[in-house]
Each structure stands twice: as structure tokens, then as C-alpha cells.
Amino acid sequence: MNQEEDFFDDLMADEELEATEGTADGDEGQQLYEHLRIEVDRGQVPLRIDKYLTEHTQHASRNRIQQAAEGGFLFVNDRPVKSNYKVRAGDVISLRLERPHFDTTIVPEELPLDVRYEDDALMVIYKPAGMVVHPGCGNFHGTLVHAIAWHLRNLPTYDPNDPQVGLVHRIDKDTSGLLVVAKTPEAKSNLGKQFFHHETHRSYIALVWGNFVDDEGTIEGNIGRDPRDRLRMEVFPPGSETGKPAITHWRVLERYGYTTLVECRLETGRTHQIRAHMRHIGHPLFADERYGGCEILRGERTASYKAYIQNCFKLCPRQALHAQTLGFRHPVTGEQMDFTSPLADDLQALVDKWRTRLSSPLTP
């Protein structure tokens, strides 16, 4: 693998967001590891560093280079610089991350894999909560991609290191649910286009804090990196130059007074889309530490209620989110394929506990 490939993409990977959780940004004396080093040629005219690196590295968008600079990972002559710095002849540019360089070549590992459907073109699999989808910082082994590689190890045409095959989309480490895997380049191309053109059907079940006035609604807002916390996504106004457009449709399934069970249907598939959108409208996912759902946001001040909530957190110690349905057209036959997965056991236990305690709706 070319050392210049994919480092800016790795910086933004969903799994890195999860794996580096708890790292204190800006800690004095924090060690950074060099992943990329470029010496600017003689004769180079002054040029913004984000534009220069876009032209001189592979698989690095200008937006991601800017995000690396904002995060304090981009250096020139051993000093951090912003994306508007103009490089000059003789400058030494380096990208330094909080993790050492690691060979991310996928080697099959014998791990449990819950296959719900499989044919010559694709697989639909169930990912349990807690399993990282793709190797990233701190998670170089034991991921879903390694398990898929083992399952397909005897298929000559499947190379787990070939981006033209494999997972078509992702879900967060602590989200449970369904994913589709393409076994051929043709299948991945076809399915990728369906996702891009919003022709797939994906719905999630989430337990969120608070009661809703309406029974259904739509959240529209660009999703991009939170400038105050690079491990979290933020919602920006639709049409903003910041972030990427995102649309989430939601509807109430059950009301428990202080929490609500909702179905979320995605038109887009942005990083942490449901988690960020729900927080944006004042309804963070229950037990979602990254987005504020691990606090008691609604309810009573009694000791018994506090103990009840703590028991709920113990039942489901992760964001209460499950990728329940997945629908698409088969890339070879054109047949409509629809799959449904029951709630994960921990999330089902959490919902049952709320049903038992608060079985009748309360006023918003």
C-alpha cells in the first residue's frame, strides 16, 4: 500500500471516531505519529497547502485535508498550520496522527458471522452492537471485515483488500443491525448506485429522550464535523457550505412519557446521522454518551427514578439504536429484496422495561 494513500480518509473513518473516544484533544505532551512526509520541490510557487496536498496525494479530498489541519494534525517545518498556509520551496509537510502507523491489510480471521442471506452476488449480515465494522485506530483486528474475509476465504474472486468488493455501507460500532456485502465488483457498483440515488430502504428503531408533540416529522440539516469536538458530528442549516445534506424521516411507535420509541427512515447515510439529527431537535438517543444521552434528561428527581434510569443504562450500555430493515433491488435479477431484524436483546430488554413502568402516554 502506498504510504500516501487513505490517511485523510482514515482520520475521518467512523471506527476511528469510536476507537479514539476518551482521547483528550490538545493534551500537553500528547504524542503524535508521522504518517506522511513531503518535501516541497524547488521552484514551487506559493500555493495553499490544502490545494497542494490535493494535487500531490492520492485519495485525499480538499475538505478532509482542511479537517486534518483544523484538528492540528498538519505540520510544516514542525509547526502546525491551518489550511490557508501557503507552501513554498523547501517546506517539509507532515501529517501526524494520534496513532502509530499500522498495516491495515485485511487478513481473514475466524470470527462469528451472522449471515441472514447469501447468494453468488451478495450477503446480508447482522452486526451485533460492540463490533467494529472496519479496521481503524485501535481496532486493527476482530472487525466485521475480518470476519467476512474468513467466511469468503475460499472464494477466489473475493479479495478483502479490493475496494471494488465488500461492504456497501456501514453502521456505527455500538449500533446493531443489518448490512449488505457485495461479493463482486458488478454487485457493489450496482448497489452503490442504489444507495447514492436513495433507491434503497433503510429504517432504524431508536429509543430517544423526551416526548414528541407530533406523531411524525422530517429533519433536514447538513451534517459535518463539530468544530468543538472532532469526535462528534454537528447539524448545520440546509444549504450551508458546511457539512453534507442529510434527511431523516421519523415517526413515533410508542410513547413512554419520558422517552419515546421511534422509527427513523434515512434518505441519506451520513456519519452519525440519526444520532446527530435527534440531538439537534432535542431528543438525544437514550444512553448515547457521545451525544449527551447518558444523562437523565427527562423525568423525576426522586432517588427511585434515578436508580431506575441507572438500571436502564446497565441493561443497554450503548446508544439505543438498531438498523432494523434493509431493502434494495438485487443487482443481478432486479428482484426487490427486503430484510428485517428483530431488536437486539439488550435493546428489547430496555424497551420492555419502559413499557412496564410507563405504559400510558403522558402530555408532551
Side-chain angles (χ1 to χ4, degrees), residues 207 209 259 284-289 292-298 305-320 346 349-350 353-354:
L207 183 71
W209 279 104
T259 60
L285 268 62
F286 191 85
D288 189 346
E289 183 177 6
C294 275
E295 304 293 330
I296 299 178
L297 302 179
R298 302 286 193 281
Y305 180 75
K306 292 179 181 178
Y308 170 81
I309 295 299
Q310 292 304 316
N311 287 333
C312 287
F313 288 154
K314 291 177 182 177
L315 269 181
C316 186
R318 48 101 175 184
Q319 67 257 14
D346 59 349
L350 177 63
K353 191 172 181 67
W354 277 100

PDB file of all heavy atoms in Angstrom, residues 207 209 259 284-289 292-298 305-320 346 349-350 353-354:
ATOM      1  N   LEU A 207     -34.636   4.432  20.722  1.00  0.00           N
ATOM      2  CA  LEU A 207     -35.279   4.953  21.926  1.00  0.00           C
ATOM      3  C   LEU A 207     -34.617   6.277  22.230  1.00  0.00           C
ATOM      4  O   LEU A 207     -33.386   6.346  22.383  1.00  0.00           O
ATOM      5  CB  LEU A 207     -35.124   3.990  23.103  1.00  0.00           C
ATOM      6  CG  LEU A 207     -35.837   4.440  24.387  1.00  0.00           C
ATOM      7  CD1 LEU A 207     -37.345   4.314  24.227  1.00  0.00           C
ATOM      8  CD2 LEU A 207     -35.352   3.649  25.599  1.00  0.00           C
ATOM      9  N   TRP A 209     -34.758  10.293  24.224  1.00  0.00           N
ATOM     10  CA  TRP A 209     -35.255  11.032  25.385  1.00  0.00           C
ATOM     11  C   TRP A 209     -36.386  11.970  24.977  1.00  0.00           C
ATOM     12  O   TRP A 209     -36.349  12.588  23.907  1.00  0.00           O
ATOM     13  CB  TRP A 209     -34.134  11.862  25.991  1.00  0.00           C
ATOM     14  CG  TRP A 209     -33.217  11.103  26.895  1.00  0.00           C
ATOM     15  CD1 TRP A 209     -31.954  10.673  26.627  1.00  0.00           C
ATOM     16  CD2 TRP A 209     -33.496  10.693  28.243  1.00  0.00           C
ATOM     17  NE1 TRP A 209     -31.421  10.016  27.716  1.00  0.00           N
ATOM     18  CE2 TRP A 209     -32.349  10.012  28.725  1.00  0.00           C
ATOM     19  CE3 TRP A 209     -34.603  10.829  29.085  1.00  0.00           C
ATOM     20  CZ2 TRP A 209     -32.273   9.480  30.018  1.00  0.00           C
ATOM     21  CZ3 TRP A 209     -34.535  10.298  30.360  1.00  0.00           C
ATOM     22  CH2 TRP A 209     -33.385   9.635  30.824  1.00  0.00           C
ATOM     23  N   THR A 259     -39.504   8.991  27.637  1.00  0.00           N
ATOM     24  CA  THR A 259     -38.780   8.528  26.459  1.00  0.00           C
ATOM     25  C   THR A 259     -39.787   8.124  25.391  1.00  0.00           C
ATOM     26  O   THR A 259     -40.973   7.931  25.683  1.00  0.00           O
ATOM     27  CB  THR A 259     -37.866   7.319  26.774  1.00  0.00           C
ATOM     28  OG1 THR A 259     -38.675   6.244  27.265  1.00  0.00           O
ATOM     29  CG2 THR A 259     -36.803   7.683  27.792  1.00  0.00           C
ATOM     30  N   PRO A 284     -31.974  13.436  22.204  1.00  0.00           N
ATOM     31  CA  PRO A 284     -30.815  12.543  22.053  1.00  0.00           C
ATOM     32  C   PRO A 284     -31.198  11.080  22.264  1.00  0.00           C
ATOM     33  O   PRO A 284     -32.129  10.770  23.009  1.00  0.00           O
ATOM     34  CB  PRO A 284     -29.868  13.009  23.170  1.00  0.00           C
ATOM     35  CG  PRO A 284     -30.312  14.386  23.512  1.00  0.00           C
ATOM     36  CD  PRO A 284     -31.782  14.421  23.274  1.00  0.00           C
ATOM     37  N   LEU A 285     -30.473  10.196  21.601  1.00  0.00           N
ATOM     38  CA  LEU A 285     -30.717   8.773  21.801  1.00  0.00           C
ATOM     39  C   LEU A 285     -30.405   8.387  23.244  1.00  0.00           C
ATOM     40  O   LEU A 285     -29.426   8.849  23.828  1.00  0.00           O
ATOM     41  CB  LEU A 285     -29.850   7.937  20.850  1.00  0.00           C
ATOM     42  CG  LEU A 285     -30.476   7.567  19.501  1.00  0.00           C
ATOM     43  CD1 LEU A 285     -30.788   8.798  18.686  1.00  0.00           C
ATOM     44  CD2 LEU A 285     -29.550   6.636  18.725  1.00  0.00           C
ATOM     45  N   PHE A 286     -31.237   7.529  23.792  1.00  0.00           N
ATOM     46  CA  PHE A 286     -31.043   7.051  25.154  1.00  0.00           C
ATOM     47  C   PHE A 286     -29.702   6.326  25.243  1.00  0.00           C
ATOM     48  O   PHE A 286     -29.349   5.520  24.381  1.00  0.00           O
ATOM     49  CB  PHE A 286     -32.185   6.099  25.535  1.00  0.00           C
ATOM     50  CG  PHE A 286     -32.232   5.759  26.999  1.00  0.00           C
ATOM     51  CD1 PHE A 286     -32.883   6.584  27.899  1.00  0.00           C
ATOM     52  CD2 PHE A 286     -31.622   4.606  27.474  1.00  0.00           C
ATOM     53  CE1 PHE A 286     -32.929   6.283  29.246  1.00  0.00           C
ATOM     54  CE2 PHE A 286     -31.658   4.284  28.816  1.00  0.00           C
ATOM     55  CZ  PHE A 286     -32.313   5.124  29.711  1.00  0.00           C
ATOM     56  N   ALA A 287     -28.937   6.646  26.287  1.00  0.00           N
ATOM     57  CA  ALA A 287     -27.638   6.017  26.584  1.00  0.00           C
ATOM     58  C   ALA A 287     -26.549   6.354  25.567  1.00  0.00           C
ATOM     59  O   ALA A 287     -25.517   5.693  25.547  1.00  0.00           O
ATOM     60  CB  ALA A 287     -27.775   4.502  26.714  1.00  0.00           C
ATOM     61  N   ASP A 288     -26.760   7.371  24.735  1.00  0.00           N
ATOM     62  CA  ASP A 288     -25.736   7.767  23.756  1.00  0.00           C
ATOM     63  C   ASP A 288     -24.774   8.746  24.412  1.00  0.00           C
ATOM     64  O   ASP A 288     -25.024   9.951  24.479  1.00  0.00           O
ATOM     65  CB  ASP A 288     -26.402   8.396  22.533  1.00  0.00           C
ATOM     66  CG  ASP A 288     -25.430   8.629  21.394  1.00  0.00           C
ATOM     67  OD1 ASP A 288     -24.202   8.546  21.628  1.00  0.00           O
ATOM     68  OD2 ASP A 288     -25.881   8.895  20.269  1.00  0.00           O
ATOM     69  N   GLU A 289     -23.663   8.239  24.898  1.00  0.00           N
ATOM     70  CA  GLU A 289     -22.714   9.055  25.641  1.00  0.00           C
ATOM     71  C   GLU A 289     -22.146  10.182  24.802  1.00  0.00           C
ATOM     72  O   GLU A 289     -21.986  11.309  25.261  1.00  0.00           O
ATOM     73  CB  GLU A 289     -21.583   8.173  26.176  1.00  0.00           C
ATOM     74  CG  GLU A 289     -20.569   8.920  27.024  1.00  0.00           C
ATOM     75  CD  GLU A 289     -19.514   7.993  27.601  1.00  0.00           C
ATOM     76  OE1 GLU A 289     -19.499   6.798  27.255  1.00  0.00           O
ATOM     77  OE2 GLU A 289     -18.688   8.485  28.401  1.00  0.00           O
ATOM     78  N   GLY A 292     -24.812  13.067  24.468  1.00  0.00           N
ATOM     79  CA  GLY A 292     -25.499  13.580  25.651  1.00  0.00           C
ATOM     80  C   GLY A 292     -26.644  12.737  26.179  1.00  0.00           C
ATOM     81  O   GLY A 292     -27.385  13.188  27.065  1.00  0.00           O
ATOM     82  N   GLY A 293     -26.804  11.518  25.688  1.00  0.00           N
ATOM     83  CA  GLY A 293     -27.930  10.688  26.103  1.00  0.00           C
ATOM     84  C   GLY A 293     -27.705   9.886  27.360  1.00  0.00           C
ATOM     85  O   GLY A 293     -28.597   9.143  27.796  1.00  0.00           O
ATOM     86  N   CYS A 294     -26.519  10.012  27.978  1.00  0.00           N
ATOM     87  CA  CYS A 294     -26.228   9.262  29.206  1.00  0.00           C
ATOM     88  C   CYS A 294     -26.544  10.054  30.460  1.00  0.00           C
ATOM     89  O   CYS A 294     -26.221   9.622  31.567  1.00  0.00           O
ATOM     90  CB  CYS A 294     -24.766   8.814  29.223  1.00  0.00           C
ATOM     91  SG  CYS A 294     -24.504   7.258  28.340  1.00  0.00           S
ATOM     92  N   GLU A 295     -27.156  11.204  30.302  1.00  0.00           N
ATOM     93  CA  GLU A 295     -27.639  11.985  31.433  1.00  0.00           C
ATOM     94  C   GLU A 295     -29.141  11.781  31.585  1.00  0.00           C
ATOM     95  O   GLU A 295     -29.822  11.373  30.644  1.00  0.00           O
ATOM     96  CB  GLU A 295     -27.339  13.474  31.209  1.00  0.00           C
ATOM     97  CG  GLU A 295     -25.879  13.790  30.964  1.00  0.00           C
ATOM     98  CD  GLU A 295     -25.020  13.541  32.191  1.00  0.00           C
ATOM     99  OE1 GLU A 295     -25.552  13.682  33.317  1.00  0.00           O
ATOM    100  OE2 GLU A 295     -23.830  13.203  32.024  1.00  0.00           O
ATOM    101  N   ILE A 296     -29.661  12.077  32.776  1.00  0.00           N
ATOM    102  CA  ILE A 296     -31.113  11.999  32.981  1.00  0.00           C
ATOM    103  C   ILE A 296     -31.707  13.299  32.453  1.00  0.00           C
ATOM    104  O   ILE A 296     -31.656  14.340  33.114  1.00  0.00           O
ATOM    105  CB  ILE A 296     -31.451  11.779  34.471  1.00  0.00           C
ATOM    106  CG1 ILE A 296     -30.844  10.467  34.961  1.00  0.00           C
ATOM    107  CG2 ILE A 296     -32.972  11.770  34.670  1.00  0.00           C
ATOM    108  CD1 ILE A 296     -31.080  10.184  36.439  1.00  0.00           C
ATOM    109  N   LEU A 297     -32.244  13.251  31.260  1.00  0.00           N
ATOM    110  CA  LEU A 297     -32.717  14.453  30.574  1.00  0.00           C
ATOM    111  C   LEU A 297     -34.200  14.726  30.778  1.00  0.00           C
ATOM    112  O   LEU A 297     -34.665  15.841  30.541  1.00  0.00           O
ATOM    113  CB  LEU A 297     -32.415  14.339  29.073  1.00  0.00           C
ATOM    114  CG  LEU A 297     -30.943  14.149  28.712  1.00  0.00           C
ATOM    115  CD1 LEU A 297     -30.781  14.038  27.201  1.00  0.00           C
ATOM    116  CD2 LEU A 297     -30.091  15.285  29.256  1.00  0.00           C
ATOM    117  N   ARG A 298     -34.961  13.725  31.160  1.00  0.00           N
ATOM    118  CA  ARG A 298     -36.394  13.888  31.417  1.00  0.00           C
ATOM    119  C   ARG A 298     -36.764  13.037  32.621  1.00  0.00           C
ATOM    120  O   ARG A 298     -36.146  12.001  32.868  1.00  0.00           O
ATOM    121  CB  ARG A 298     -37.244  13.437  30.217  1.00  0.00           C
ATOM    122  CG  ARG A 298     -36.956  14.134  28.907  1.00  0.00           C
ATOM    123  CD  ARG A 298     -37.495  15.556  28.890  1.00  0.00           C
ATOM    124  NE  ARG A 298     -37.473  16.093  27.543  1.00  0.00           N
ATOM    125  CZ  ARG A 298     -36.406  16.580  26.931  1.00  0.00           C
ATOM    126  NH1 ARG A 298     -35.234  16.535  27.553  1.00  0.00           N
ATOM    127  NH2 ARG A 298     -36.481  17.071  25.704  1.00  0.00           N
ATOM    128  N   TYR A 305     -36.330   7.031  40.880  1.00  0.00           N
ATOM    129  CA  TYR A 305     -36.286   7.235  39.428  1.00  0.00           C
ATOM    130  C   TYR A 305     -34.841   7.234  38.933  1.00  0.00           C
ATOM    131  O   TYR A 305     -34.524   6.643  37.891  1.00  0.00           O
ATOM    132  CB  TYR A 305     -36.969   8.548  39.057  1.00  0.00           C
ATOM    133  CG  TYR A 305     -36.961   8.820  37.561  1.00  0.00           C
ATOM    134  CD1 TYR A 305     -37.810   8.123  36.703  1.00  0.00           C
ATOM    135  CD2 TYR A 305     -36.099   9.766  37.015  1.00  0.00           C
ATOM    136  CE1 TYR A 305     -37.797   8.371  35.328  1.00  0.00           C
ATOM    137  CE2 TYR A 305     -36.080  10.014  35.649  1.00  0.00           C
ATOM    138  CZ  TYR A 305     -36.937   9.309  34.812  1.00  0.00           C
ATOM    139  OH  TYR A 305     -36.920   9.543  33.456  1.00  0.00           O
ATOM    140  N   LYS A 306     -33.941   7.870  39.685  1.00  0.00           N
ATOM    141  CA  LYS A 306     -32.529   7.868  39.303  1.00  0.00           C
ATOM    142  C   LYS A 306     -31.975   6.450  39.267  1.00  0.00           C
ATOM    143  O   LYS A 306     -31.216   6.079  38.361  1.00  0.00           O
ATOM    144  CB  LYS A 306     -31.729   8.732  40.270  1.00  0.00           C
ATOM    145  CG  LYS A 306     -32.041  10.225  40.161  1.00  0.00           C
ATOM    146  CD  LYS A 306     -31.224  11.023  41.165  1.00  0.00           C
ATOM    147  CE  LYS A 306     -31.551  12.518  41.063  1.00  0.00           C
ATOM    148  NZ  LYS A 306     -30.797  13.311  42.074  1.00  0.00           N
ATOM    149  N   ALA A 307     -32.366   5.648  40.250  1.00  0.00           N
ATOM    150  CA  ALA A 307     -31.914   4.257  40.283  1.00  0.00           C
ATOM    151  C   ALA A 307     -32.487   3.486  39.096  1.00  0.00           C
ATOM    152  O   ALA A 307     -31.802   2.638  38.501  1.00  0.00           O
ATOM    153  CB  ALA A 307     -32.333   3.609  41.596  1.00  0.00           C
ATOM    154  N   TYR A 308     -33.740   3.792  38.758  1.00  0.00           N
ATOM    155  CA  TYR A 308     -34.381   3.136  37.607  1.00  0.00           C
ATOM    156  C   TYR A 308     -33.614   3.426  36.320  1.00  0.00           C
ATOM    157  O   TYR A 308     -33.336   2.511  35.523  1.00  0.00           O
ATOM    158  CB  TYR A 308     -35.824   3.619  37.488  1.00  0.00           C
ATOM    159  CG  TYR A 308     -36.510   3.201  36.218  1.00  0.00           C
ATOM    160  CD1 TYR A 308     -37.052   1.929  36.074  1.00  0.00           C
ATOM    161  CD2 TYR A 308     -36.598   4.081  35.140  1.00  0.00           C
ATOM    162  CE1 TYR A 308     -37.672   1.545  34.889  1.00  0.00           C
ATOM    163  CE2 TYR A 308     -37.207   3.707  33.960  1.00  0.00           C
ATOM    164  CZ  TYR A 308     -37.734   2.437  33.846  1.00  0.00           C
ATOM    165  OH  TYR A 308     -38.343   2.064  32.666  1.00  0.00           O
ATOM    166  N   ILE A 309     -33.240   4.695  36.114  1.00  0.00           N
ATOM    167  CA  ILE A 309     -32.518   5.071  34.901  1.00  0.00           C
ATOM    168  C   ILE A 309     -31.143   4.403  34.869  1.00  0.00           C
ATOM    169  O   ILE A 309     -30.700   3.912  33.812  1.00  0.00           O
ATOM    170  CB  ILE A 309     -32.375   6.599  34.794  1.00  0.00           C
ATOM    171  CG1 ILE A 309     -33.750   7.257  34.635  1.00  0.00           C
ATOM    172  CG2 ILE A 309     -31.480   6.966  33.611  1.00  0.00           C
ATOM    173  CD1 ILE A 309     -34.509   6.839  33.386  1.00  0.00           C
ATOM    174  N   GLN A 310     -30.467   4.357  36.007  1.00  0.00           N
ATOM    175  CA  GLN A 310     -29.171   3.687  36.041  1.00  0.00           C
ATOM    176  C   GLN A 310     -29.301   2.213  35.683  1.00  0.00           C
ATOM    177  O   GLN A 310     -28.432   1.652  34.992  1.00  0.00           O
ATOM    178  CB  GLN A 310     -28.525   3.852  37.425  1.00  0.00           C
ATOM    179  CG  GLN A 310     -28.111   5.289  37.744  1.00  0.00           C
ATOM    180  CD  GLN A 310     -27.173   5.879  36.700  1.00  0.00           C
ATOM    181  OE1 GLN A 310     -26.237   5.212  36.251  1.00  0.00           O
ATOM    182  NE2 GLN A 310     -27.418   7.135  36.329  1.00  0.00           N
ATOM    183  N   ASN A 311     -30.367   1.581  36.118  1.00  0.00           N
ATOM    184  CA  ASN A 311     -30.602   0.177  35.743  1.00  0.00           C
ATOM    185  C   ASN A 311     -30.870   0.047  34.248  1.00  0.00           C
ATOM    186  O   ASN A 311     -30.461  -0.933  33.611  1.00  0.00           O
ATOM    187  CB  ASN A 311     -31.777  -0.389  36.541  1.00  0.00           C
ATOM    188  CG  ASN A 311     -31.433  -0.632  37.995  1.00  0.00           C
ATOM    189  OD1 ASN A 311     -30.269  -0.872  38.324  1.00  0.00           O
ATOM    190  ND2 ASN A 311     -32.419  -0.554  38.878  1.00  0.00           N
ATOM    191  N   CYS A 312     -31.538   1.042  33.683  1.00  0.00           N
ATOM    192  CA  CYS A 312     -31.770   1.046  32.232  1.00  0.00           C
ATOM    193  C   CYS A 312     -30.445   1.143  31.478  1.00  0.00           C
ATOM    194  O   CYS A 312     -30.226   0.443  30.481  1.00  0.00           O
ATOM    195  CB  CYS A 312     -32.678   2.212  31.846  1.00  0.00           C
ATOM    196  SG  CYS A 312     -34.406   2.011  32.297  1.00  0.00           S
ATOM    197  N   PHE A 313     -29.560   2.016  31.949  1.00  0.00           N
ATOM    198  CA  PHE A 313     -28.247   2.159  31.312  1.00  0.00           C
ATOM    199  C   PHE A 313     -27.456   0.850  31.373  1.00  0.00           C
ATOM    200  O   PHE A 313     -26.729   0.500  30.438  1.00  0.00           O
ATOM    201  CB  PHE A 313     -27.447   3.272  31.978  1.00  0.00           C
ATOM    202  CG  PHE A 313     -27.944   4.663  31.678  1.00  0.00           C
ATOM    203  CD1 PHE A 313     -27.718   5.697  32.572  1.00  0.00           C
ATOM    204  CD2 PHE A 313     -28.631   4.939  30.504  1.00  0.00           C
ATOM    205  CE1 PHE A 313     -28.154   6.980  32.298  1.00  0.00           C
ATOM    206  CE2 PHE A 313     -29.081   6.228  30.221  1.00  0.00           C
ATOM    207  CZ  PHE A 313     -28.842   7.255  31.126  1.00  0.00           C
ATOM    208  N   LYS A 314     -27.606   0.121  32.471  1.00  0.00           N
ATOM    209  CA  LYS A 314     -26.913  -1.154  32.607  1.00  0.00           C
ATOM    210  C   LYS A 314     -27.491  -2.212  31.663  1.00  0.00           C
ATOM    211  O   LYS A 314     -26.763  -3.058  31.136  1.00  0.00           O
ATOM    212  CB  LYS A 314     -26.987  -1.652  34.050  1.00  0.00           C
ATOM    213  CG  LYS A 314     -26.187  -0.815  35.027  1.00  0.00           C
ATOM    214  CD  LYS A 314     -26.348  -1.314  36.459  1.00  0.00           C
ATOM    215  CE  LYS A 314     -25.582  -0.437  37.434  1.00  0.00           C
ATOM    216  NZ  LYS A 314     -25.800  -0.877  38.847  1.00  0.00           N
ATOM    217  N   LEU A 315     -28.796  -2.163  31.454  1.00  0.00           N
ATOM    218  CA  LEU A 315     -29.435  -3.114  30.537  1.00  0.00           C
ATOM    219  C   LEU A 315     -28.934  -2.945  29.112  1.00  0.00           C
ATOM    220  O   LEU A 315     -28.695  -3.919  28.397  1.00  0.00           O
ATOM    221  CB  LEU A 315     -30.958  -2.927  30.560  1.00  0.00           C
ATOM    222  CG  LEU A 315     -31.792  -3.742  31.532  1.00  0.00           C
ATOM    223  CD1 LEU A 315     -33.267  -3.404  31.344  1.00  0.00           C
ATOM    224  CD2 LEU A 315     -31.566  -5.237  31.340  1.00  0.00           C
ATOM    225  N   CYS A 316     -28.791  -1.685  28.698  1.00  0.00           N
ATOM    226  CA  CYS A 316     -28.365  -1.384  27.320  1.00  0.00           C
ATOM    227  C   CYS A 316     -27.287  -0.315  27.377  1.00  0.00           C
ATOM    228  O   CYS A 316     -27.566   0.877  27.221  1.00  0.00           O
ATOM    229  CB  CYS A 316     -29.567  -0.915  26.498  1.00  0.00           C
ATOM    230  SG  CYS A 316     -29.232  -0.665  24.742  1.00  0.00           S
ATOM    231  N   PRO A 317     -26.033  -0.714  27.616  1.00  0.00           N
ATOM    232  CA  PRO A 317     -24.954   0.247  27.819  1.00  0.00           C
ATOM    233  C   PRO A 317     -24.360   0.780  26.512  1.00  0.00           C
ATOM    234  O   PRO A 317     -23.143   0.789  26.324  1.00  0.00           O
ATOM    235  CB  PRO A 317     -23.932  -0.578  28.608  1.00  0.00           C
ATOM    236  CG  PRO A 317     -24.122  -1.965  28.100  1.00  0.00           C
ATOM    237  CD  PRO A 317     -25.594  -2.107  27.805  1.00  0.00           C
ATOM    238  N   ARG A 318     -25.214   1.225  25.615  1.00  0.00           N
ATOM    239  CA  ARG A 318     -24.765   1.787  24.326  1.00  0.00           C
ATOM    240  C   ARG A 318     -25.937   2.560  23.764  1.00  0.00           C
ATOM    241  O   ARG A 318     -27.068   2.463  24.271  1.00  0.00           O
ATOM    242  CB  ARG A 318     -24.330   0.661  23.383  1.00  0.00           C
ATOM    243  CG  ARG A 318     -25.292  -0.511  23.247  1.00  0.00           C
ATOM    244  CD  ARG A 318     -26.134  -0.476  21.987  1.00  0.00           C
ATOM    245  NE  ARG A 318     -26.979  -1.642  21.784  1.00  0.00           N
ATOM    246  CZ  ARG A 318     -27.719  -1.827  20.698  1.00  0.00           C
ATOM    247  NH1 ARG A 318     -27.704  -0.936  19.718  1.00  0.00           N
ATOM    248  NH2 ARG A 318     -28.486  -2.897  20.585  1.00  0.00           N
ATOM    249  N   GLN A 319     -25.703   3.342  22.707  1.00  0.00           N
ATOM    250  CA  GLN A 319     -26.812   4.103  22.145  1.00  0.00           C
ATOM    251  C   GLN A 319     -27.931   3.152  21.714  1.00  0.00           C
ATOM    252  O   GLN A 319     -27.683   2.121  21.097  1.00  0.00           O
ATOM    253  CB  GLN A 319     -26.369   4.966  20.960  1.00  0.00           C
ATOM    254  CG  GLN A 319     -25.927   4.222  19.722  1.00  0.00           C
ATOM    255  CD  GLN A 319     -24.425   4.200  19.559  1.00  0.00           C
ATOM    256  OE1 GLN A 319     -23.693   4.518  20.496  1.00  0.00           O
ATOM    257  NE2 GLN A 319     -23.935   3.833  18.385  1.00  0.00           N
ATOM    258  N   ALA A 320     -29.155   3.513  22.037  1.00  0.00           N
ATOM    259  CA  ALA A 320     -30.314   2.647  21.784  1.00  0.00           C
ATOM    260  C   ALA A 320     -30.748   2.784  20.335  1.00  0.00           C
ATOM    261  O   ALA A 320     -31.746   3.436  20.015  1.00  0.00           O
ATOM    262  CB  ALA A 320     -31.456   3.003  22.732  1.00  0.00           C
ATOM    263  N   ASP A 346     -30.449  -6.620  24.110  1.00  0.00           N
ATOM    264  CA  ASP A 346     -30.296  -5.564  25.119  1.00  0.00           C
ATOM    265  C   ASP A 346     -31.270  -4.425  24.889  1.00  0.00           C
ATOM    266  O   ASP A 346     -31.867  -3.892  25.835  1.00  0.00           O
ATOM    267  CB  ASP A 346     -28.850  -5.055  25.163  1.00  0.00           C
ATOM    268  CG  ASP A 346     -28.371  -4.491  23.830  1.00  0.00           C
ATOM    269  OD1 ASP A 346     -29.057  -4.676  22.807  1.00  0.00           O
ATOM    270  OD2 ASP A 346     -27.288  -3.858  23.818  1.00  0.00           O
ATOM    271  N   ALA A 349     -34.812  -5.602  25.869  1.00  0.00           N
ATOM    272  CA  ALA A 349     -34.973  -5.586  27.322  1.00  0.00           C
ATOM    273  C   ALA A 349     -35.204  -4.164  27.829  1.00  0.00           C
ATOM    274  O   ALA A 349     -36.015  -3.941  28.747  1.00  0.00           O
ATOM    275  CB  ALA A 349     -33.744  -6.194  27.987  1.00  0.00           C
ATOM    276  N   LEU A 350     -34.524  -3.198  27.245  1.00  0.00           N
ATOM    277  CA  LEU A 350     -34.696  -1.797  27.627  1.00  0.00           C
ATOM    278  C   LEU A 350     -36.105  -1.318  27.297  1.00  0.00           C
ATOM    279  O   LEU A 350     -36.768  -0.665  28.127  1.00  0.00           O
ATOM    280  CB  LEU A 350     -33.656  -0.942  26.907  1.00  0.00           C
ATOM    281  CG  LEU A 350     -33.732   0.563  27.128  1.00  0.00           C
ATOM    282  CD1 LEU A 350     -33.485   0.904  28.595  1.00  0.00           C
ATOM    283  CD2 LEU A 350     -32.724   1.285  26.233  1.00  0.00           C
ATOM    284  N   LYS A 353     -38.654  -2.739  29.639  1.00  0.00           N
ATOM    285  CA  LYS A 353     -38.609  -2.105  30.963  1.00  0.00           C
ATOM    286  C   LYS A 353     -39.394  -0.799  30.971  1.00  0.00           C
ATOM    287  O   LYS A 353     -40.122  -0.499  31.926  1.00  0.00           O
ATOM    288  CB  LYS A 353     -37.141  -1.863  31.362  1.00  0.00           C
ATOM    289  CG  LYS A 353     -36.956  -1.454  32.812  1.00  0.00           C
ATOM    290  CD  LYS A 353     -35.476  -1.435  33.173  1.00  0.00           C
ATOM    291  CE  LYS A 353     -35.268  -1.047  34.645  1.00  0.00           C
ATOM    292  NZ  LYS A 353     -35.792  -2.101  35.556  1.00  0.00           N
ATOM    293  N   TRP A 354     -39.274  -0.015  29.902  1.00  0.00           N
ATOM    294  CA  TRP A 354     -40.042   1.220  29.812  1.00  0.00           C
ATOM    295  C   TRP A 354     -41.527   0.940  29.619  1.00  0.00           C
ATOM    296  O   TRP A 354     -42.379   1.658  30.163  1.00  0.00           O
ATOM    297  CB  TRP A 354     -39.520   2.088  28.662  1.00  0.00           C
ATOM    298  CG  TRP A 354     -38.324   2.906  29.062  1.00  0.00           C
ATOM    299  CD1 TRP A 354     -37.018   2.636  28.805  1.00  0.00           C
ATOM    300  CD2 TRP A 354     -38.339   4.117  29.825  1.00  0.00           C
ATOM    301  NE1 TRP A 354     -36.205   3.598  29.357  1.00  0.00           N
ATOM    302  CE2 TRP A 354     -36.991   4.529  29.978  1.00  0.00           C
ATOM    303  CE3 TRP A 354     -39.349   4.890  30.377  1.00  0.00           C
ATOM    304  CZ2 TRP A 354     -36.630   5.675  30.669  1.00  0.00           C
ATOM    305  CZ3 TRP A 354     -38.993   6.052  31.075  1.00  0.00           C
ATOM    306  CH2 TRP A 354     -37.661   6.435  31.214  1.00  0.00           C
TER     307      TRP A 354
END
